[in-house]
Amino acid sequence: IEEDALRRAMADNPELAREFEGKLTEKLNAARAKEEKDKGNKAFSDKKYEQAISHFTTCIELDPECEVYWSNRSAAYAALEKWEPALSDARKAVGLKPSWPKAYSRLAVAFFGLKLYSDAKEAYERALKLEPDDAGLRKGLEKAEYMELQQMREKKHVFFKKAKLNEPSTAGTTSAAAPTTSAAPASTSNKGEEQPKAAAAGAGAGKPG
């Protein structure tokens, strides 16, 4: 509706349209991006995450400097357990608005999904510095701390992986080294405290803005 009104205004006043062409185009793009965002949020609520990603991608194409669109697409990717693109979009949101706690919570959720619990913990800590009274962020931090401790006990922490890579090879060994565990978790359900998505919901980062 807003886009149609702006187009009518441009048609009614060509001179004004020429004078402010750039700004009007920017406003038109922003208006269309908002409409796409609403569609994306609706698709997300309906658990149509691929559709949500498509709408948020259009938002980004129209207004790439808006951190909300990157954050929303990160949430949609996380809902599909596509942790790498979720992380990439979260990083972009943080870069665009470093003072926004939700951007760090998106980052934390993506790190958690990749089982990078130390990084998830750091992201939650940074979010809590900006919003110290947020119970969801506090819960997410506690979960990341717990999972990091479990990882260290099982010697699966990134510290142990790096140490193993730096060990000298044994002479005369004929068998190949066992492959390291993949960073991406197996497919999980939305429920249960032990699942990455549960941590995302607990951190208040499960829904788009």
Side-chain angles (χ1 to χ4, degrees):
I1 296 172
E2 185 177 349
E3 182 178 352
D4 291 339
L6 285 168
R7 289 192 182 280
R8 286 196 299 271
M10 290 176 69
D12 292 341
N13 197 331
E15 290 186 8
L16 186 65
R18 283 194 296 271
E19 185 178 350
F20 296 101
E21 184 176 359
K23 291 183 179 179
L24 286 170
T25 300
E26 185 178 326
K27 285 184 176 294
L28 285 169
N29 287 344
R32 187 182 167 203
K34 185 179 181 303
E35 291 177 4
E36 288 292 323
K37 172 178 171 285
D38 293 340
K39 292 176 183 177
N41 287 350
K42 177 65 166 57
F44 190 99
S45 297
D46 294 339
K47 298 184 178 180
K48 298 177 180 179
Y49 302 123
E50 292 288 0
Q51 287 185 24
I53 288 169
S54 178
H55 288 301
F56 295 140
T57 297
T58 300
C59 291
I60 290 168
E61 290 170 351
L62 291 166
D63 189 2
E65 299 304 309
C66 180
E67 70 284 350
V68 173
Y69 302 146
W70 294 94
S71 171
N72 285 6
R73 194 172 70 171
S74 176
Y77 277 129
L80 292 172
E81 296 185 7
K82 295 183 177 181
W83 304 116
E84 290 289 356
L87 178 62
S88 178
D89 281 2
R91 287 187 190 277
K92 184 67 176 181
V94 168
L96 287 169
K97 193 171 182 179
S99 62
W100 191 31
K102 181 174 280 190
Y104 290 103
S105 70
R106 299 286 193 225
L107 198 63
V109 168
F111 278 134
F112 196 102
L114 289 166
K115 298 184 180 181
L116 299 173
Y117 303 121
S118 178
D119 293 310
K121 183 179 72 173
E122 182 180 348
Y124 278 126
E125 288 171 343
R126 295 190 70 173
L128 281 163
K129 285 182 179 179
L130 297 166
E131 199 165 331
D133 297 327
D134 190 298
L137 292 174
R138 182 68 58 188
K139 183 177 179 180
L141 174 60
E142 291 171 358
K143 183 69 174 178
E145 289 174 336
Y146 172 79
M147 293 304 294
E148 183 187 28
L149 181 60
Q150 288 293 99
Q151 210 174 44
M152 292 178 72
R153 285 173 177 169
E154 296 170 9
K155 295 189 177 181
K156 292 180 181 179
H157 192 276
V158 66
F159 170 81
F160 292 103
K161 291 181 182 179
K162 288 180 179 178
K164 189 172 183 179
L165 288 172
N166 290 330
E167 287 178 0
S169 60
T170 304
T173 300
T174 57
S175 61
T180 57
T181 303
S182 172
S187 178
T188 57
S189 65
N190 284 338
K191 297 181 181 180
E193 283 194 351
E194 297 303 319
Q195 307 303 335
K197 283 187 181 178
K207 295 180 181 180

